[in-house]
């Protein structure tokens, strides 16, 4: 498999074309490499210099990320942007990015994987969370009532700390909505849906009172921590279906 064949596989698997003209990210292959056979693929949340250096040090042929280098406007190749591009060019390492396609995918997306991890019943899952004409999250019901502590233990089995918890909903939680990353502003959609719990990455100051006054709990798990789920699932699937060696690079931001 070469980089163009891998790109075709990823584009098809993540349905990249569905998000053209809506997602500000340049989804797909952002930096090409030579036509060499690919052996190893690195996965990471961010296309930052640290993840690139680690990918290169582990002899990865391609780095697959959620947050790429290009966001709808041209950037001069200077400063930090130049250093990142040069690192990829010098090592003949490709870069592939999937932003909203990786949030929204119903099987390997962040939100689908989080919904599964916390135990939302699959048969109750529905698309949830409108953004720029795209539905990117999911909502559903638990098979039995859950507590906030139990849900947190399922969401972060390794003991990671969420960024913020707003425990204003019912003690026994029956329903939840999930939108990873910086979706605190979508709390209103969770309130309108009558959910007991909203799970996202970030929450803003003004949403504290909105949650409290409407009796809904919020888990702001951290932008980074809620956007590793789909990448890890995709890495496992890619290895299983193509035989490529895959690995995930942890560069947590604490945000």
């Amino acid at each position: 498999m070469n980089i163009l064949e891998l790109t075709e596989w990823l584009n098809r698997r993540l349905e990249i074309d569905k998000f053209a003209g809506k997602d500000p990210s340049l989804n797909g292959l952002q930096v090409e490499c030579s036509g060499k056979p690919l052996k190893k693929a690195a996965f990471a949340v961010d296309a930052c210099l640290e993840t690139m250096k680690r990918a290169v040090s582990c002899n990865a042929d391609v780095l697959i990320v959620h947050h790429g280098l290009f966001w709808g406007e041209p950037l001069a190749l200077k400063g930090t942007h130049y250093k990142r591009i040069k690192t990829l060019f010098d090592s003949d390492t490709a870069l592939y990015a999937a932003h909203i396609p990786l949030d929204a995918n119903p099987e390997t997306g962040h939100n689908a994987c989080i919904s599964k991890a916390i135990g939302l019943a699959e048969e109750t899952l529905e698309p949830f969370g409108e953004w720029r004409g795209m539905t990117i999250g999911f909502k559903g019901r638990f098979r039995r009532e859950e507590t906030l502590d139990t849900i947190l233990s399922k969401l972060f089995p390794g003991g990671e700390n969420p960024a913020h918890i707003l425990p204003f909903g019912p003690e026994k939680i029956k329903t939840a909505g999930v939108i990873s990353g910086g979706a605190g502003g979508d709390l209103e959609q969770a309130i309108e849906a009558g959910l007991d719990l909203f799970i996202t990455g970030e929450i803003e100051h003004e949403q504290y009172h909105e949650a409290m006054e409407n009796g809904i709990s919020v888990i702001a798990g951290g932008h980074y921590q809620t956007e590793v789920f789909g990448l890890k699932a995709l890495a496992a699937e890619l290895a299983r279906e193509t035989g490529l060696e895959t690995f995930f690079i942890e560069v947590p931001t604490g945000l």
Side-chain angles (χ1 to χ4, degrees):
M1 172 177 279
N2 61 34
I3 189 58
L4 297 182
E5 291 168 335
L6 174 59
T7 298
E8 182 180 352
W9 187 94
L10 290 166
N11 287 352
R12 182 175 63 252
R13 183 65 187 86
L14 297 173
E15 301 181 291
I16 294 293
D17 290 344
K18 286 175 55 176
F19 304 92
K22 299 178 181 178
D23 187 353
S25 174
L26 177 62
N27 291 306
L29 185 62
Q30 293 194 344
V31 178
E32 193 172 348
C33 65
S34 67
K36 62 184 179 180
L38 304 180
K39 297 179 180 179
K40 189 182 291 189
F43 286 74
V45 173
D46 302 307
C48 61
L49 194 57
E50 179 65 20
T51 58
M52 292 174 184
K53 287 180 176 180
R54 292 197 200 179
V56 170
S57 71
C58 293
N59 299 313
D61 300 301
V62 56
L63 175 60
I64 299 168
V65 299
H66 183 49
H67 301 136
L69 292 177
F70 301 99
W71 297 87
E73 56 185 48
L75 292 175
L77 295 180
K78 60 182 183 180
T80 300
H81 194 55
Y82 164 77
K83 293 176 183 177
R84 292 170 176 173
I85 295 291
K86 187 176 188 301
T87 299
L88 296 173
F89 281 173
D90 287 350
S91 58
D92 194 24
T93 303
L95 176 69
Y96 183 99
H99 184 225
I100 297 302
L102 194 55
D103 287 309
N105 191 274
E107 295 168 343
T108 59
H110 301 313
N111 298 312
C113 291
I114 290 173
S115 298
K116 181 178 181 180
I118 64 174
L120 290 178
E122 185 176 357
E123 65 272 15
T124 71
L125 288 181
E126 300 176 33
F128 163 73
E130 297 291 329
W131 185 70
R132 295 193 177 196
M134 301 173 284
T135 304
I136 60 178
F138 293 92
K139 65 178 180 179
R141 300 184 66 85
F142 293 97
R143 295 191 184 281
R144 61 178 181 275
E145 294 178 346
E146 299 280 5
T147 65
L148 200 57
D149 285 343
T150 300
I151 294 168
L152 281 166
S153 70
K154 293 178 179 180
L155 184 61
F156 299 123
E160 300 90 343
N161 292 318
H164 298 286
I165 302 173
L166 306 182
F168 300 136
E171 183 176 343
K172 299 296 184 180
I173 299 170
K174 299 178 181 178
T175 59
V178 181
I179 309 176
S180 63
D186 294 322
L187 173 60
E188 185 176 345
Q189 294 188 59
I191 294 169
E192 291 175 353
L195 299 175
D196 297 332
L197 171 66
F198 179 50
I199 297 175
T200 187
E202 302 175 18
I203 201 78
E204 299 292 337
H205 169 81
E206 60 269 20
Q207 280 123 30
Y208 177 95
H209 296 288
E210 188 177 7
M212 182 170 62
E213 292 165 10
N214 285 280
I216 183 173
S217 291
V218 178
I219 297 175
H223 198 130
Y224 178 91
Q225 291 185 155
T226 58
E227 295 194 328
V228 302
F229 287 83
L231 287 160
K232 291 180 177 180
L234 185 63
E237 182 176 326
L238 179 63
R240 184 171 61 250
E241 294 200 6
T242 70
L244 281 176
E245 180 182 348
T246 65
F247 64 98
F248 186 78
I249 300 172
E250 290 277 11
V251 185
T253 63
L255 301 172

